[in-house]
Amino acid sequence: MLFLCAFLVGCQDKPGDAGSAQQSPEEITKETDIHFQNYTETGDLSALKKRGTIRFITLATSEDDLLPRARIVTQKHYELAEALAKRLKLNPHWLAAASPADALEMIKSGRADVVVGNLTRTEERAQQFDLSEPITQSRQQLVTGRNGPDVARPDSLRNTVISIMEGSTYVDSARQLQEKIPGAKLEMRKLSKSDTVDRMIDNINQRENVVTIIDSNIVQGVLDYRSDLKAGVFVSDDEDIVWAMRKESPDLKLRINNFLTKKLVKAPQERKSDWPSIKKSRVIRFLTYNGPTSYFMWKGSLMGFDYDLAKSFAQKHNLELELIVVPHDQALTDWLQAGRGDFAGASTSITQERMAQGVDFTTPYIEMAAQVLSHGGKSEIKTLEDLNNRTLTLREFSIFEGIAKSLQENGIRVNVKVADPGVSLERIINMVADGKADATIADASAVEIAASLRKEVTAGPLVSDPIPQGWMVVKGNTSLKKRLNAFIKEYQTTQSFRKKVDYYFKPNAAGSEKIVQRLKPGEDLSPYDELAKQSARKFEFDWRLIVAQMWQESSFNPEAESPAGAQGLLQVMPRTAEEVGYSPPLFDPQRGIEAGVKYLSWIRDRFEPGISLEDRLWFSLAAYNAGIGHLYDAQRLAQELQLNPEVWFGNVEIAMLKLSEPRYFKGARYGYVRGAEPVQYVRNISQIYRAYTDITPGEIALQARYLPPYAHATSPRNNAHPKYPHTPSWKGIHAQPQRVPGSINTNAPWRP
């Protein structure tokens, strides 16, 4: 076993690879920024101390490359490495290699210091490198698709195809297995940039009598969200997962091992939830939902208001945070009382009904009123009286049922329809947007954000006083409740808390209207046109598209920094910036633009070659906004919905919107996504770009099949493509004129 990349995802090029698996290690780090120029250093820890920097080199790893649903999240490789650098009082710098062999070669040659990731200990590596103590263990496991052969009994297999990634360390195990299976055929698959674990599983499910080998920790992660994978026997012994350093680095090795020994703990199987038991185990367990304000993945980072606060609480008390995602059709209170976590919350309203279920609430961390959300195509609901003869669709057993009943008791003649069991609030909001429901009630923050992102819905009047929200503990757990209360009261006074409230509970005001209104022919589009042209030319984009994206991201403010940490004119996340060769900060306009455009180019190269130039561009923008993992999830869901997974407008964007609903995102590798945000992001940029091309005559725009309309596409159009019966098609798809990559023909019509 190598990195995950040795199988499917692991050999995907990371952003620093400049898209070529043929690069030498030197070429990968050549393109760096003005603040960091890579160097050769072969010394031990004292030499690193003199330089003040520790260089971590990594590839995509399986356990970090999905939404953790039950895991100690503070022990992911990236978080461990960052904590190690802090402990050593060194600045961390991240590098990316095109292959595991290149990563190890960079360590040996002094171009990096520590390989961080899913690296297996072997005798050969132990002879050539200093290896850390085991971080975890894994085994190679035989797997197949839902209807595949019996992988629990390999002696029963006959004429089976063993599909293995070429060059992976699974090959030896596969050859041994081939000798034991009559008629077995060994199939070597080459890795492409767009390969993922999910695509490998999809391919296996489409074939008969095919098996493969995956690391057991990867298998467990996949089984957390997919049910169409059958796990079979182990085909190797336990294998240690380690980090690697240069040979003869005793001081660095000692400090890393001491750090890991103190930091690494196992999740407790069973224990009490009182404070002494928590401190003894060194782990605190938090129960939550995967959802819009509690816990989710965005641009490759774990986020969420409840998640951020829980992580800060754990750090304050030197605890590791185990995060446990509870299925949406099950109650947090039930899991809490069953002893499966220590505390729980997901923007949970403090109610007497919940207290009666055997829980105590902490002091409130926020208060949120309830508000009406209605379909914009009907008469607007501005006052409570406007609710007369309208219909509210509400989630079963929600706090909003009681609010609606109170409205009726106070003379408002509103009709109330309780949705079927299992229908989520996110699904109801989508129903309102699609015109399938008249109106609903939700937290004011959810209403305001939905109204800002989706033109089909309108925010209405508040229908309750502010309702306090907080965390829950089992009734009588005063020792934990006391410390949670103290933390909340202290944290509420900080600037960090206020920023998080604004980020998670208030809509982003960025849009396209104000920039379109101020445009004048003959003027510069931005103060950074020349810088945008330089980077766009290098990576084959239309510079006006980059300027449009720049406005959407930062409103041309080079000092912009989001609460999530994204920086600069194109709002690049710090870790992403380092992987494309630019160390934070990114407030210098040239560096901020270069980092963003290079990352956008990296994303563009990660899609199937059959996808058109224009859709590749829309996919890239959506992935830039939400993260490429969510885009991959949306493509898979589009396929399941019989939409075209290779077309954004009216197809994959519909799937993206549906990934806000638990019935869909529970089966997605990256979980919940506020799908309306990347959908609106792409549409805003396309609108600004259209305006830019209208006022810059003489510029050459690339020829596209279409430009998107300003309104949302919430359902597929007619004229189905024969391969995808529910997807739209249009004339002239194959008759395209010559065009410059990365631009759009603004005179091209929308689909007929």
Side-chain angles (χ1 to χ4, degrees):
M1 183 184 76
L2 292 169
F3 294 81
L4 163 65
C5 69
F7 192 112
L8 269 158
V9 182
C11 281
Q12 275 182 204
D13 303 331
K14 293 290 283 181
D17 302 348
S20 173
Q22 303 302 317
Q23 290 176 293
S24 70
E26 186 69 21
E27 289 174 317
I28 295 168
T29 57
K30 184 184 298 182
E31 196 164 350
T32 54
D33 60 80
I34 59 176
H35 290 295
F36 182 85
Q37 294 292 331
N38 202 5
Y39 48 84
T40 298
E41 175 58 70
T42 58
D44 198 359
L45 180 59
S46 59
L48 305 189
K49 289 275 190 179
K50 289 180 180 179
R51 293 185 178 273
T53 298
I54 184 168
R55 299 164 299 172
F56 298 115
I57 186 163
T58 188
L59 299 141
T61 60
S62 63
E63 57 200 287
D64 288 358
D65 188 38
L66 81 170
L67 179 85
R69 276 130 167 126
R71 183 177 169 192
I72 300 179
V73 291
T74 48
Q75 292 185 3
K76 295 173 63 178
H77 287 293
Y78 177 76
E79 280 73 14
L80 282 174
E82 289 282 308
L84 169 66
K86 185 176 181 180
R87 181 73 58 85
L88 296 176
K89 297 181 180 179
L90 295 172
N91 294 319
H93 185 84
W94 288 87
L95 301 168
S99 70
D102 280 352
L104 291 169
E105 178 57 34
M106 288 183 72
I107 294 292
K108 183 181 293 186
S109 65
R111 304 292 288 175
D113 302 313
V114 184
V115 175
V116 172
N118 219 34
L119 186 71
T120 302
R121 178 187 179 90
T122 66
E123 287 303 318
E124 181 180 357
R125 287 175 180 159
Q127 292 174 7
Q128 297 184 30
F129 301 92
D130 280 351
L131 304 179
S132 72
E133 293 295 321
I135 294 174
T136 186
Q137 290 185 322
S138 183
R139 287 191 282 179
Q140 298 179 23
Q141 192 166 11
L142 192 64
V143 299
T144 189
R146 176 189 286 117
N147 300 315
D150 187 359
V151 287
R153 296 178 56 244
D155 57 338
S156 67
L157 300 179
R158 297 291 185 275
N159 302 314
T160 302
V161 175
I162 308 171
S163 181
I164 297 296
M165 190 56 58
E166 186 177 73
S168 72
T169 52
Y170 306 126
V171 172
D172 289 342
S173 299
R175 293 193 189 282
Q176 294 175 19
L177 195 62
Q178 182 185 21
E179 295 176 357
K180 300 176 182 178
I181 300 175
K185 177 183 177 182
L186 190 59
E187 175 185 270
M188 298 291 187
R189 295 185 60 238
K190 290 187 176 181
L191 191 74
S192 72
K193 294 178 182 179
S194 59
D195 271 328
T196 66
V197 171
D198 281 323
R199 285 179 181 161
M200 179 271 293
I201 297 171
D202 291 341
N203 289 335
I204 288 179
N205 272 298
Q206 294 170 7
R207 303 172 64 187
E208 295 183 0
N209 204 20
V210 176
V211 301
T212 190
I213 299 173
I214 312 179
D215 292 339
S216 58
N217 57 347
I218 300 176
V219 173
Q220 187 55 55
V222 171
L223 291 176
D224 282 343
Y225 67 94
R226 292 188 70 151
S227 59
D228 58 349
L229 178 72
K230 289 197 302 187
V233 298
F234 298 109
V235 293
S236 77
D237 296 329
D238 285 337
E239 298 175 321
D240 292 336
I241 306 301
V242 297
W243 290 354
M245 299 143 273
R246 277 182 297 280
K247 200 70 174 174
E248 306 301 331
S249 299
D251 292 342
L252 180 60
K253 179 179 178 181
L254 177 63
R255 291 296 297 274
I256 288 179
N257 283 338
N258 287 343
F259 168 80
L260 293 175
T261 299
K262 294 177 180 178
K263 188 75 174 175
L264 295 176
V265 293
K266 291 186 178 180
Q269 298 300 315
E270 292 184 11
R271 65 154 168 75
K272 295 180 179 180
S273 292
D274 60 288
W275 189 247
S277 299
I278 291 171
K279 288 294 288 184
K280 183 178 180 180
S281 72
R282 297 165 51 200
V283 176
I284 188 162
R285 304 167 299 170
F286 179 54
L287 301 168
T288 191
Y289 293 126
N290 176 207
T293 57
S294 51
Y295 171 64
F296 57 94
M297 181 172 279
W298 189 253
K299 294 188 177 182
S301 298
L302 299 180
M303 302 178 66
F305 186 74
D306 289 283
Y307 167 76
D308 286 351
L309 265 63
K311 187 176 179 181
S312 294
F313 175 77
Q315 290 172 340
K316 177 180 176 64
H317 292 282
N318 295 316
L319 297 169
E320 302 303 319
L321 177 66
E322 181 183 9
L323 195 140
I324 302 168
V325 175
V326 177
H328 274 262
D329 57 357
Q330 299 183 37
L332 292 175
T333 51
D334 292 343
W335 280 53
L336 192 61
Q337 288 188 313
R340 303 174 77 170
D342 302 314
F343 68 121
S347 297
T348 307
S349 299
I350 300 176
T351 66
Q352 292 298 324
E353 290 80 6
R354 288 194 172 104
M355 292 182 190
Q357 296 174 19
V359 300
D360 287 334
F361 277 91
T362 63
T363 188
Y365 55 49
I366 198 171
E367 293 184 340
M368 193 69 61
Q371 190 171 6
V372 172
L373 181 74
S374 63
H375 184 67
K378 301 181 180 180
S379 58
E380 191 173 353
I381 300 175
K382 297 181 179 179
T383 67
L384 295 181
E385 288 71 24
D386 291 336
L387 284 169
N388 287 324
N389 301 317
R390 302 295 289 268
T391 300
L392 294 171
T393 300
L394 304 175
R395 188 182 181 191
E396 187 180 39
F397 303 128
S398 70
I399 190 175
F400 307 120
E401 278 191 81
I403 293 173
K405 184 177 180 181
S406 178
L407 291 173
Q408 292 174 324
E409 292 173 349
N410 284 278
I412 303 297
R413 300 186 307 277
V414 63
N415 301 311
V416 176
K417 178 182 178 181
V418 179
D420 294 335
V423 174
S424 65
L425 176 61
E426 291 79 8
R427 183 176 176 183
I428 293 174
I429 290 176
N430 282 342
M431 291 167 60
V432 173
D434 292 344
K436 297 176 182 177
D438 182 15
T440 190
I441 298 175
D443 284 342
S445 63
V447 169
E448 295 295 339
I449 290 172
S452 73
L453 292 174
R454 307 192 66 170
K455 292 178 170 55
E456 309 95 332
V457 298
T458 303
L462 298 175
V463 291
S464 78
D465 294 328
I467 301 170
Q469 299 177 353
W471 285 332
M472 299 178 289
V473 298
V474 171
K475 187 175 289 294
N477 189 353
T478 56
S479 60
L480 175 55
K481 179 182 174 182
K482 175 182 176 181
R483 286 161 177 84
L484 290 171
N485 284 342
F487 165 77
I488 291 171
K489 291 177 181 178
E490 178 184 355
Y491 197 62
Q492 283 175 324
T493 65
T494 65
Q495 183 67 23
S496 176
F497 177 82
R498 290 188 286 274
K499 286 183 177 180
K500 291 184 186 301
V501 170
D502 289 345
Y503 183 74
Y504 289 115
F505 296 107
K506 296 182 181 180
N508 184 345
S512 59
E513 289 79 8
K514 51 186 176 181
I515 186 64
V516 171
Q517 290 172 359
R518 76 161 184 81
L519 291 174
K520 295 180 181 179
E523 293 185 352
D524 288 344
L525 301 181
S526 78
Y528 310 105
D529 287 3
E530 290 304 315
L531 294 177
K533 289 177 182 178
Q534 293 173 18
S535 289
R537 188 179 303 114
K538 180 176 181 179
F539 292 101
E540 297 188 314
F541 287 106
D542 185 328
W543 69 273
R544 293 165 299 182
L545 184 80
I546 301 303
V547 175
Q549 184 186 17
M550 196 188 308
W551 171 259
Q552 179 66 28
E553 287 285 359
S554 66
S555 299
F556 300 148
N557 176 13
E559 300 294 326
E561 184 171 17
S562 77
Q567 298 178 353
L569 286 166
L570 286 171
Q571 290 290 279
V572 183
M573 295 294 285
R575 183 182 178 184
T576 299
E578 286 194 300
E579 289 177 338
V580 297
Y582 295 83
S583 289
L586 299 173
F587 303 124
D588 174 75
Q590 180 175 350
R591 297 177 62 252
I593 292 172
E594 288 176 354
V597 177
K598 186 175 181 182
Y599 178 52
L600 185 66
S601 175
W602 178 86
I603 295 173
R604 184 179 56 186
D605 291 339
R606 263 62 202 169
F607 300 110
E608 295 288 349
I611 296 175
S612 72
L613 180 67
E614 294 78 25
D615 281 301
R616 187 180 297 269
L617 191 61
W618 304 133
F619 285 167
S620 299
L621 288 171
Y624 189 103
N625 175 251
I628 197 167
H630 290 306
L631 195 283
Y632 286 155
D633 282 346
Q635 285 184 294
R636 286 190 61 246
L637 180 58
Q639 182 94 46
E640 294 175 11
L641 297 174
Q642 293 188 298
L643 300 171
N644 192 336
E646 298 181 351
V647 174
W648 173 253
F649 289 108
N651 289 272
V652 176
E653 69 168 349
I654 294 175
M656 185 70 81
L657 289 170
K658 291 184 180 296
L659 282 174
S660 67
E661 301 179 25
R663 60 174 174 159
Y664 294 114
F665 72 66
K666 70 179 181 181
R669 182 174 181 83
Y670 299 89
Y672 167 88
V673 62
R674 185 183 286 153
E677 190 160 336
V679 167
Q680 190 61 39
Y681 180 87
V682 173
R683 290 180 174 275
N684 282 350
I685 291 174
S686 68
Q687 181 180 356
I688 298 169
Y689 177 67
R690 181 198 298 261
Y692 284 168
T693 56
D694 285 344
I695 67 165
T696 51
E699 297 280 357
I700 299 176
L702 61 74
Q703 308 297 305
R705 294 191 303 252
Y706 56 82
L707 264 182
Y710 298 145
H712 280 277
T714 56
S715 60
R717 298 176 180 237
N718 296 324
N719 304 322
H721 189 285
K723 184 177 178 182
Y724 305 100
H726 292 227
T727 194
S729 61
W730 55 91
K731 297 178 181 179
I733 183 171
H734 299 298
Q736 298 301 312
Q738 292 296 111
R739 53 187 178 267
V740 178
S743 60
I744 301 167
N745 174 14
T746 56
N747 297 316
W750 176 240
R751 305 189 180 106

